[in-house]
Amino acid sequence: MTETLRSDLEDVYGRYEELRSGVDELQRSIATMQVSAESADGAVRATVDADGRLVDLMLHPTACREWDVNTLARVIVETVQNASAGKYEQIQHLVTHHQSAESGA
């Protein structure tokens, strides 16, 4: 094997390792992601995980006292949906950042 070929193979393998490491980091970031959203008045805060599952819900005491159950339920659902939408935006940002880092490497 010539030195040039050996050097080329080492370069290719090194680039492969960098890409694999970047993909592993991206997967870890997405897997551990949590995204929160708050209702317009701040009375409801919802946090979802990378799968869109609700992992935390905080209700301000005034929301429970001042709103009827239908209003409270609607605001909770909207806030969870906003958190889930934010999750997709954050994933898109992570992937875009990852692609930019790859092309800059």
Side-chain angles (χ1 to χ4, degrees), residues 1 3 13 24 26 33 40 42 44 46 51 69 71-72 76 86 100-101:
M1 186 180 298
E3 285 302 312
Y13 184 74
D24 290 346
L26 177 63
M33 173 189 309
V44 176
D51 294 323
V69 294
T71 300
L72 181 58
I76 289 171
S100 296

Side-chain angles (χ1 to χ4, degrees), residues 1-87:
M1 186 180 298
T2 68
E3 285 302 312
T4 304
L5 182 57
R6 182 183 313 269
S7 177
D8 288 347
L9 285 173
E10 288 174 0
D11 288 345
V12 167
Y13 184 74
R15 180 72 177 134
Y16 162 76
E17 285 294 321
E18 288 175 17
L19 289 172
R20 195 180 103 209
S21 175
V23 169
D24 290 346
E25 182 181 333
L26 177 63
Q27 288 175 329
R28 275 191 303 278
S29 294
I30 291 172
T32 60
M33 173 189 309
Q34 289 192 347
V35 179
S36 296
E38 202 169 90
S39 62
D41 61 0
V44 176
R45 181 178 176 87
T47 303
V48 298
D49 66 10
D51 294 323
R53 290 185 300 243
L54 183 65
V55 295
D56 191 36
L57 179 65
M58 298 178 73
L59 304 174
H60 193 277
T62 58
C64 298
R65 287 192 302 264
E66 296 176 8
W67 293 344
D68 63 66
V69 294
N70 292 327
T71 300
L72 181 58
R74 180 182 52 76
V75 173
I76 289 171
V77 169
E78 289 172 358
T79 306
V80 171
Q81 288 172 339
N82 289 339
S84 188
K87 171 197 72 148

